[in-house]
Amino acid sequence: MSDLKNDRLLRALRREPVDVTPVWIMRQAGRYLPEYRATRERAGDFLTLCQTPELACEVTLQPLRRFPLDAAILFSDILTIPDAMGLGLEFAEGEGPRFRHPVRSADAIARLGVPDPETELRYVMDAVRLIRRELAGTVPLIGFAGSPWTLATYMVEGGSSRDFTEIKRMLFDEPTLVHQLLDVVTRAIELYLRAQIAAGAQAVMVFDTWGGVLTPRDYREFSLAYMRRIVAELASKPDRPNVPIILFTKNGGAWIEAMAETGCDALGLDWTIDIGEARRRVGTHVALQGNMDPSVLYASPARIRTEVAAVLAAYGEGSGHVFNLGHGIHPQIDPEHVSACVDAVHELSVPYHR
Amino acid sequence: MSDLKNDRLLRALRREPVDVTPVWIMRQAGRYLPEYRATRERAGDFLTLCQTPELACEVTLQPLRRFPLDAAILFSDILTIPDAMGLGLEFAEGEGPRFRHPVRSADAIARLGVPDPETELRYVMDAVRLIRRELAGTVPLIGFAGSPWTLATYMVEGGSSRDFTEIKRMLFDEPTLVHQLLDVVTRAIELYLRAQIAAGAQAVMVFDTWGGVLTPRDYREFSLAYMRRIVAELASKPDRPNVPIILFTKNGGAWIEAMAETGCDALGLDWTIDIGEARRRVGTHVALQGNMDPSVLYASPARIRTEVAAVLAAYGEGSGHVFNLGHGIHPQIDPEHVSACVDAVHELSVPYHR
């Protein structure tokens, strides 16, 4: 960590003093950048982009060449694990992800194995190593995985879902089966994140995109319990180089106390909660990452600056805040607006760190 | 009210004693019923079904013939108002609603007029009158409207939306314009609901389907403030026959205190909040409607019964609870499962009303 030229992100995640609030942007390597679209074009399709370490490294670094961001995040997809489990991931143009072999029976679940990260997901680990080398200590690299519940929804539904019909039917009628699925997925995620850390990830984030579609009771049982296992697993190993863990449940604002109690280092917040309120509730336990409405970036640079100021003011003085959007950046955003946002965070946060 | 054979709904909405917990189901007149699909087939399309009072009345009554529900709800659509404003509503088969003339400029907003309910939306009022006559005092009839913010999202986006790009851009860069739009829509909703009440609606519900995509600050300014105006308007008229008002913001669990302070009689709750917690927070001010996960109805009747019991237990003893799902019933649900749910509510709630 002391080798990093810019260690603001790691310091903020540990609630240690920083000079200004660090900022990165979910999906910062993405379709809003013309250079990303060009590389993706060259790759041919999204999966090839993920699976070719040189290309994944290239798109990971693209936003850092444009903006003074305080972190890189591995370019990859949360569905690499189920793909490596044999479900057959496909991305049809203009549609969401699809699995050729969804998992809907006790047999199918029993057959699932835990992929070995360094062989079956080697392309991810190679990308991590390559990115770390290319970053050359400028900013830290964030690794990530989907949450067990979130991966399970895709594995059972066979893709994106609106109502989560299949997995919820299973949850209510065959909860043991869902737990069996979550168990194997959790073990896979643990190995995967440990391998990313071993390959060079300096912080990791768990994306629980769909935990918010559960009742409070079912969230605790089917999503949070398994994220807690991951946090405990990563924290328990003596060889773990003190890598901060960020948990993010979209629409999880009601449950941040329970999330903070997992022992994670930071919580990602979407934009439906006031970050000042979140800090009062859990800020003595964890750092907070977020939480500007991604749609603010459609507005004029002047308005973006006002909104950045509002989020910084809501968090208030002191460390423990990593500025981010409350969700991934939309593909139609003008890169100039991202620039206005990142600059505003650095400029306007100075008074909060005196 | 004293003329009603079954006034449980109205009593529960006023937190007066009841013998058992009343129950109705959002979208109870809908695609999960074969008789609904047959009537819709006969109508030809969804809009004709809404706009033909005899057919709207027929589908409104269908679920009451099958299940001992404690309320009827007018069969209609929240987009009737913008359609009457001249936006040209269309429902393409298998897709969501579309407006031929979305509203995206100051000029377009300035041109919007407030429809006269008894002429331009007469088909709705005729349906209300017909349904009241056919119900013959068995159960109360609930009228409804979309919230100003929710209608505005459809009017600006031109249909359903994922990211609410256009209206959010307008919200951040031209907030005055959005307020102008919300003002005219609010006046239209006020007239519309008053006309429904005059025609016979015995309770009214405001569906704020998209308030939950806003930040807490923007929710107060762009959604809640206008619902508060509607509540005040309806409550202020001496001729108002004491009709309870239910507000429902999907994903609004964090804001129920502010919603309760509008002066409404009840809050609809989705399934992402524990109804017992909601009662502790606002139950001395308002009744609560909800909040079983709609996906529970995919499960076996035995499991449905267990989940009904859990919601009833979470609310606890005494009146003030109207059982419902946390969102509209899904089209694939087996009607037998609805039957199991409704019966379970009546049977299992007896001990809570001694």
Side-chain angles (χ1 to χ4, degrees):
Chain A
M1 182 176 156
S2 54
D3 296 341
L4 275 167
K5 292 188 190 73
N6 173 351
D7 65 355
R8 279 175 197 144
L9 175 91
L10 300 181
R11 296 185 64 83
L13 289 174
R14 299 193 181 106
R15 291 171 291 141
E16 296 167 3
V18 287
D19 57 342
V20 297
T21 301
V23 51
W24 67 278
I25 289 177
M26 287 194 272
R27 291 219 185 106
Q28 63 190 21
R31 276 199 285 154
Y32 74 104
L33 288 178
E35 58 270 36
Y36 169 89
R37 296 195 297 270
T39 310
R40 160 120 187 227
E41 185 90 6
R42 194 144 54 90
D45 65 273
F46 179 75
L47 263 185
T48 305
L49 189 53
C50 291
Q51 293 172 348
T52 312
E54 293 70 25
L55 297 178
C57 175
E58 166 61 19
V59 295
T60 297
L61 299 177
Q62 283 168 350
L64 296 161
R65 294 186 195 121
R66 276 190 183 250
F67 318 114
L69 294 157
D70 296 298
I73 180 162
L74 167 68
F75 181 84
S76 188
D77 191 84
I78 61 168
L79 300 181
T80 51
I81 288 178
D83 184 50
M85 284 172 153
L87 274 68
L89 181 58
E90 296 176 333
F91 284 87
E93 202 54 48
E95 288 177 42
R98 280 279 132 206
F99 284 120
R100 282 191 299 278
H101 314 292
V103 169
R104 293 195 183 161
S105 65
D107 274 2
I109 289 172
R111 275 197 304 269
L112 291 171
V114 171
D116 173 60
E118 276 295 351
T119 55
E120 292 160 279
L121 288 157
R122 174 159 194 134
Y123 65 89
V124 176
M125 305 313 146
D126 284 345
V128 170
R129 284 183 280 263
L130 192 54
I131 297 164
R132 270 300 300 273
R133 200 169 68 214
E134 295 290 318
L135 281 173
T138 47
V139 294
L141 173 62
I142 303 167
F144 73 92
S147 76
W149 166 255
T150 295
L151 295 192
T153 66
Y154 288 98
M155 294 169 75
V156 172
E157 300 294 333
S160 303
S161 178
R162 216 182 75 125
D163 292 334
F164 302 93
T165 310
E166 299 300 330
I167 193 158
K168 286 220 177 166
R169 192 198 309 265
M170 205 188 270
L171 184 155
F172 292 115
D173 272 341
E174 301 174 281
T176 314
L177 215 54
V178 177
H179 281 301
Q180 222 177 305
L181 172 59
L182 290 167
D183 176 66
V184 63
V185 172
T186 299
R187 284 184 283 129
I189 295 168
E190 286 166 0
L191 279 189
Y192 185 63
L193 287 178
R194 285 178 58 74
Q196 287 187 30
I197 292 168
Q202 290 145 299
V204 292
M205 180 156 168
V206 177
F207 287 87
D208 187 30
T209 316
W210 300 120
V213 306
L214 293 167
T215 66
R217 180 199 65 189
D218 293 337
Y219 173 71
R220 287 191 298 271
E221 179 175 344
F222 294 94
S223 183
L224 189 64
Y226 291 92
M227 291 200 286
R228 181 183 295 118
R229 248 177 66 178
I230 292 169
V231 172
E233 221 288 325
L234 293 186
S236 71
K237 301 295 149 133
D239 63 329
R240 178 189 170 227
N242 200 17
V243 169
I245 307 169
I246 309 161
L247 299 188
F248 174 56
T249 294
K250 185 157 188 291
N251 279 321
W255 308 323
I256 55 174
E257 288 86 351
M259 295 173 75
E261 281 166 13
T262 58
C264 68
D265 299 276
L267 299 183
L269 300 176
D270 68 25
W271 65 96
T272 65
I273 184 170
D274 180 273
I275 196 169
E277 189 207 316
R279 187 182 189 184
R280 284 186 290 278
R281 285 164 56 188
V282 298
T284 55
H285 292 72
V286 289
L288 297 173
Q289 177 173 280
N291 75 335
M292 195 168 77
D293 185 343
S295 302
V296 168
L297 295 185
Y298 291 120
S300 65
R303 180 66 199 236
I304 290 167
R305 211 173 156 85
T306 311
E307 292 292 317
V308 166
V311 173
L312 291 172
Y315 185 84
E317 293 194 356
S319 188
H321 181 204
V322 174
F323 195 98
N324 207 315
L325 303 180
H327 196 55
I329 183 170
H330 299 171
Q332 304 88 348
I333 296 299
D334 179 344
E336 285 303 311
H337 290 204
V338 176
S339 186
C341 171
V342 172
D343 290 347
V345 174
H346 288 152
E347 289 165 30
L348 302 176
S349 65
V350 173
Y352 297 105
H353 298 286
R354 271 187 195 131
Chain B
M1 183 176 155
S2 53
D3 296 341
L4 276 168
K5 293 188 188 74
N6 173 350
D7 64 355
R8 278 175 197 143
L9 175 91
L10 300 182
R11 296 185 64 83
L13 288 175
R14 298 194 183 105
R15 291 172 291 140
E16 296 166 2
V18 287
D19 56 341
V20 297
T21 301
V23 52
W24 68 278
I25 289 176
M26 287 194 272
R27 291 220 184 105
Q28 62 190 22
R31 276 199 286 154
Y32 74 104
L33 289 177
E35 58 268 37
Y36 169 90
R37 296 195 297 270
T39 310
R40 160 120 188 227
E41 184 89 7
R42 195 143 54 89
D45 64 273
F46 179 75
L47 263 186
T48 305
L49 189 53
C50 291
Q51 293 173 346
T52 312
E54 293 71 25
L55 297 178
C57 175
E58 166 60 19
V59 295
T60 298
L61 299 177
Q62 283 169 349
L64 297 161
R65 295 187 193 120
R66 275 190 184 250
F67 318 115
L69 294 157
D70 296 298
I73 180 161
L74 167 68
F75 181 84
S76 188
D77 191 85
I78 61 168
L79 299 181
T80 51
I81 288 178
D83 184 51
M85 285 172 152
L87 274 67
L89 181 59
E90 297 176 332
F91 285 88
E93 203 54 50
E95 289 178 43
R98 279 279 133 206
F99 285 119
R100 282 190 299 277
H101 314 292
V103 169
R104 293 196 184 159
S105 66
D107 273 2
I109 290 172
R111 275 197 306 270
L112 291 172
V114 172
D116 174 60
E118 276 295 351
T119 54
E120 292 160 278
L121 288 157
R122 172 156 195 137
Y123 65 89
V124 176
M125 305 313 146
D126 284 346
V128 170
R129 283 183 281 264
L130 192 56
I131 297 164
R132 270 300 300 272
R133 202 169 68 213
E134 294 290 318
L135 281 172
T138 47
V139 294
L141 173 63
I142 303 167
F144 73 91
S147 75
W149 166 255
T150 295
L151 295 192
T153 65
Y154 288 98
M155 293 170 75
V156 173
E157 300 294 332
S160 302
S161 178
R162 215 182 76 125
D163 292 335
F164 302 94
T165 311
E166 299 300 331
I167 193 157
K168 286 222 178 163
R169 190 199 310 263
M170 206 188 270
L171 185 155
F172 291 115
D173 272 341
E174 301 175 282
T176 313
L177 215 54
V178 177
H179 281 302
Q180 221 177 306
L181 172 59
L182 290 167
D183 176 66
V184 62
V185 172
T186 299
R187 285 184 284 129
I189 295 169
E190 286 166 0
L191 279 189
Y192 185 63
L193 288 177
R194 286 177 57 73
Q196 287 187 29
I197 292 168
Q202 290 145 300
V204 292
M205 181 155 168
V206 177
F207 287 88
D208 187 29
T209 316
W210 299 120
V213 305
L214 293 167
T215 66
R217 180 198 66 188
D218 293 338
Y219 173 71
R220 288 191 298 271
E221 179 175 342
F222 294 94
S223 183
L224 189 64
Y226 291 92
M227 292 201 285
R228 181 183 296 118
R229 249 178 66 177
I230 292 169
V231 172
E233 221 289 322
L234 292 185
S236 71
K237 300 294 149 131
D239 63 327
R240 179 191 168 225
N242 200 17
V243 168
I245 306 169
I246 310 161
L247 298 188
F248 175 55
T249 294
K250 186 157 188 290
N251 279 321
W255 308 324
I256 55 174
E257 287 87 352
M259 295 173 75
E261 280 166 14
T262 57
C264 68
D265 299 275
L267 299 184
L269 300 176
D270 68 24
W271 65 96
T272 65
I273 183 169
D274 180 273
I275 196 169
E277 189 206 316
R279 188 182 188 183
R280 284 187 290 279
R281 285 165 54 190
V282 298
T284 55
H285 292 73
V286 290
L288 297 173
Q289 178 174 281
N291 73 335
M292 194 168 77
D293 185 343
S295 302
V296 168
L297 295 185
Y298 291 120
S300 66
R303 180 66 199 236
I304 291 168
R305 211 173 156 85
T306 311
E307 292 293 318
V308 167
V311 173
L312 291 172
Y315 185 83
E317 293 195 354
S319 186
H321 180 204
V322 174
F323 195 98
N324 207 316
L325 303 180
H327 196 56
I329 183 170
H330 300 171
Q332 304 87 347
I333 296 299
D334 180 343
E336 285 301 311
H337 289 204
V338 176
S339 188
C341 171
V342 172
D343 290 347
V345 174
H346 288 152
E347 289 166 30
L348 302 176
S349 65
V350 173
Y352 296 105
H353 298 287
R354 274 188 193 128

